[in-house]
Every structure is written in structure tokens, then in C-alpha cells.
Amino acid sequence: LQNRYLVDKSHPLWSSVEDISCPYNLTELFRIPKGEDGFEWWDNKHLYDNLSPRRDAQTFIPKIKALGYQVIFVSKVIGNHGASKEKFIKKYFPENDGIIFTSTKQHVKCDYLIDDCYKNLNDMPENVHGIKFRMDYAEKDIPVRYFHHVNGWGEIWSKLEVLL
């Protein structure tokens, strides 16, 4: 985005090097020209083609599968990157039990939801255990109930060992 749009230096993020928290909506950091939305990169049908997963994520799924649990990827897709994301998941996580693309994750029946967004966790039924994956951005939504907070997949495994 920075190459295409002017950086909005008035945003609080730019005022302090100690503050590494970005807004969830990264377009807030840029002056988007009138008539553009700043999210056209989601339309890139090759968005995930050259990405790699976090190493700790690839060891997590076989562990949870070994305990007899299903692992289903539930993800929101905006624009045309769905096929690229699906290829990415199948390539790096072939042992998955399914892929669901939806903007309403609360309709997916599950026991646990691992997500990086409070809105998705807040919307889940009370019986679903929420695990919040910490990211370096600030959210407008706040938690409406208790969620486990983790910094990486190894910590998720530790939380699940207690919960299971």
C-alpha cells in the first residue's frame, strides 16, 4: 500500500517507534484517493501463492489430529484470492478436515475457535472455547467474555492440553 498511497503521518502509529500496534484496518495509515477503497489487494488471485505458514503452525495440526480432533479452516475471503488461499492450505496443511470460506464464522459448529479477531470470537456461541491469537494491531472490538490469549501455535497447544 505504501508505494501506491501517501502515508498519513498524522495517524498515532507514526508518532512513536515504541508503539508497534497497527490498526486492524491498515488503510487507516494511508490517504486513500477518493473513489478507491484501499483493499484491492484482496482481489489478487495469487495473494497466497508465494507465502509460507509460520513453522509452529505446521507442527500444531498433526498434534491435534493425533488426539482424534478434526481441524477445519474457517476463513473470510474478500475479493478473488479464495483459490490461492485454498491451494495454500492444501499444500501446507494437507491433513485438514475441511475449508470453509465465510464471513459469518459464528454459524460454523465447533468446540474451539482460534482467531485473531475479537469480533469473530465474540460472535461465537457461549459453548465455544475462544482462543485469541495476539497480533500487532489494535482492534475496535473488545472481548465480551473470557478468551485464552496466545502469541503463537506452541502456546495454543499448551492451552488446549489444559482444555482437552
Side-chain angles (χ1 to χ4, degrees), residues 79-124:
N80 295 314
H81 72 275
S84 176
K85 186 182 273 189
E86 184 175 2
K87 278 193 301 188
F88 173 88
I89 292 169
K90 288 180 176 178
K91 176 181 178 180
Y92 291 106
F93 306 99
E95 63 279 349
N96 77 79
D97 294 296
I99 302 168
I100 300 171
F101 293 136
T102 181
S103 61
T104 54
K105 294 181 182 183
Q106 72 271 21
H107 298 300
V108 176
K109 188 175 186 229
C110 61
D111 297 315
Y112 302 89
L113 178 69
I114 302 165
D115 208 288
D116 64 344
C117 181
Y118 279 126
K119 177 173 182 352
N120 295 327
L121 293 164
N122 288 339
D123 289 345
M124 295 305 288

Side-chain angles (χ1 to χ4, degrees), residues 18 43-44 103 160:
E18 286 87 34
D43 283 327
N44 180 349
S103 61
L160 283 176

Side-chain angles (χ1 to χ4, degrees), residues 17-117:
V17 268
E18 286 87 34
D19 182 9
I20 60 164
S21 183
C22 297
Y24 186 75
N25 177 354
L26 291 176
T27 64
E28 293 176 14
L29 297 175
F30 302 89
R31 291 188 198 111
I32 308 297
K34 199 170 197 160
E36 294 189 31
D37 69 3
F39 291 103
E40 63 274 359
W41 54 277
W42 283 117
D43 283 327
N44 180 349
K45 64 182 182 177
H46 301 289
L47 186 63
Y48 284 79
D49 291 0
N50 296 312
L51 298 178
S52 300
R54 292 174 52 133
R55 276 179 259 125
D56 53 351
Q58 286 184 284
T59 59
F60 171 79
I61 291 179
K63 283 180 171 180
I64 198 75
K65 295 279 298 170
L67 293 175
Y69 285 87
Q70 289 186 326
V71 175
I72 299 172
F73 286 82
V74 181
S75 183
K76 183 175 182 177
V77 173
I78 302 169
N80 295 314
H81 72 275
S84 176
K85 186 182 273 189
E86 184 175 2
K87 278 193 301 188
F88 173 88
I89 292 169
K90 288 180 176 178
K91 176 181 178 180
Y92 291 106
F93 306 99
E95 63 279 349
N96 77 79
D97 294 296
I99 302 168
I100 300 171
F101 293 136
T102 181
S103 61
T104 54
K105 294 181 182 183
Q106 72 271 21
H107 298 300
V108 176
K109 188 175 186 229
C110 61
D111 297 315
Y112 302 89
L113 178 69
I114 302 165
D115 208 288
D116 64 344
C117 181

Side-chain angles (χ1 to χ4, degrees), residues 121-130 144-146:
L121 293 164
N122 288 339
D123 289 345
M124 295 305 288
E126 288 289 326
N127 64 317
V128 174
H129 296 279
V144 295
R145 64 179 197 259
Y146 177 78

